[in-house]
Amino acid sequence: MSIYAQGGKLTIDRTLYGQRFKRSTGLDNTKEGRRTAKQYDAMVTSLVNLGERKTIDGLRGGVLDWPDVYTSFAQWDRAGIPDPDAMRPLVKAWKAWAPKARTRSGGKAAPVTVKDHQRALGLLDVPAGATVADLPPLVAAYRLTCEAAGIGRQFNRVRTSAQAFLRDTFGKRQSPLWAKVSDVAPRPTGDHEGHPKTPAEARDIREKLGPLFGPMWWSLCCSGMNPKEYLQDGWQVTPDALLVHGKKRKGRERRVPRVGAVVAPQRAYQRFRMALAEQGVEPLDGRRSFTLWMQMAGIPRPRRQLYLGQGRGAVIDDYEMHEVAEMFAADTAKLQAVVGTDALQLSTTSTDFPTRRTA
């Protein structure tokens, strides 16, 4: 018999898919209990006929509860039947997923690494006993926390990690949980235009940063390099130019007018970025400042693009974006006039910094 009493509770005991299915219903051995147990047993038969093996395995393993499954089944709402994967402990499932998760190296969107996924779990402040099904409300609650603190990008990274976890676990199209997390709106990330500085403002920041980080900031301002080019790709100082060995695209390998002292980085990037944040700027503001200086010097747009290693924006750029020795010398003189001839000198506290870096 498939239904019998054991320990005062009714149990369903059958063979399904070649395996024993034995699960207590939690129902008392009463007339009402036996009636409900028969309904559960009939539901199991129907689920097998419908090919819902995942649901059967969830019931067998105790991941799914009888009433939750039967409520949806009785209403013929197969989509409403709980997914066993959604009932798994969230922390355990996330930690098993993160090391194998797909990552993104960059492009237009921000990079996403395994560490970002692992950090996202800690930021969500998952309570004990939380299941995968609790992820959407946790993301929504974290958004409220970030909104109160004025945080944008950090929340968006956590939201992206949650979407990736649910996509890899259930599939984007089939998962109501993925849809619920996607319905939580991303946070605005504020000003994307940055904070370019005039030569005088950049000098003031350099002095405030001191002898360790000041020369690094000044190097970015005087070269137009982005942080990756400065720290990883490599560059070389010559008597009349700076050779930047950018790797992002072909045009990033370029020759730039030498208008200021460029020194090798001496401290970890994260500490450098934190020091700049205290001054209200970020590393990329150095490149933005160099762009502003070229504008102040009256250098035509095609050659500004050339010195920044940027792509062509219009057909005419194909005819104008080229380096002519006389133009390069003239642009150098114009920039030095804007920045000042002392830009090539560092304070005496910084003379021990090397002035050459190669890939």
Side-chain angles (χ1 to χ4, degrees), residues 192-196 217 220-221 224-229 252 269 272-273 276 281-291:
H192 289 278
E193 296 181 356
H195 305 88
W217 158 254
L220 293 175
C221 291
M225 287 188 284
N226 64 33
K228 180 177 178 293
E229 290 171 337
R252 287 297 175 93
Y269 176 68
F272 174 53
R273 190 175 67 173
L276 290 184
V281 292
E282 60 180 358
L284 200 57
D285 286 328
R287 178 174 169 85
R288 295 178 179 123
S289 298
F290 183 72
T291 304

Side-chain angles (χ1 to χ4, degrees), residues 107-248:
K108 290 185 177 180
V112 175
T113 66
V114 171
K115 286 186 177 180
D116 290 326
H117 292 318
Q118 293 171 335
R119 182 168 177 262
L121 181 64
L123 292 172
L124 283 172
D125 193 21
V126 180
T131 66
V132 173
D134 296 319
L135 186 55
L138 285 172
V139 173
Y142 183 60
R143 189 187 191 283
L144 294 176
T145 300
C146 290
E147 185 174 3
I151 296 172
R153 288 186 178 87
Q154 181 171 288
F155 167 76
N156 293 344
R157 282 180 175 272
V158 171
R159 177 177 176 270
T160 297
S161 290
Q163 289 176 306
F165 168 71
L166 294 172
R167 176 202 65 212
D168 293 347
T169 303
F170 302 101
K172 182 165 63 173
R173 296 174 184 261
Q174 293 80 18
S175 172
L177 296 178
W178 184 91
K180 289 179 181 178
V181 168
S182 299
D183 286 341
V184 180
R187 288 273 300 141
T189 55
D191 179 18
H192 289 278
E193 296 181 356
H195 305 88
K197 300 300 179 182
T198 65
E201 292 171 334
R203 276 192 181 85
D204 183 56
I205 292 175
R206 182 187 70 183
E207 297 306 314
K208 289 179 179 178
L209 288 170
L212 292 179
F213 297 120
M216 293 172 63
W217 158 254
W218 190 245
S219 296
L220 293 175
C221 291
C222 293
S223 66
M225 287 188 284
N226 64 33
K228 180 177 178 293
E229 290 171 337
Y230 180 55
L231 295 165
Q232 298 179 22
D233 292 350
W235 46 269
Q236 183 177 358
V237 175
T238 66
D240 61 346
L242 175 71
L243 306 181
V244 180
H245 306 305
K247 302 289 193 296
K248 187 173 182 180

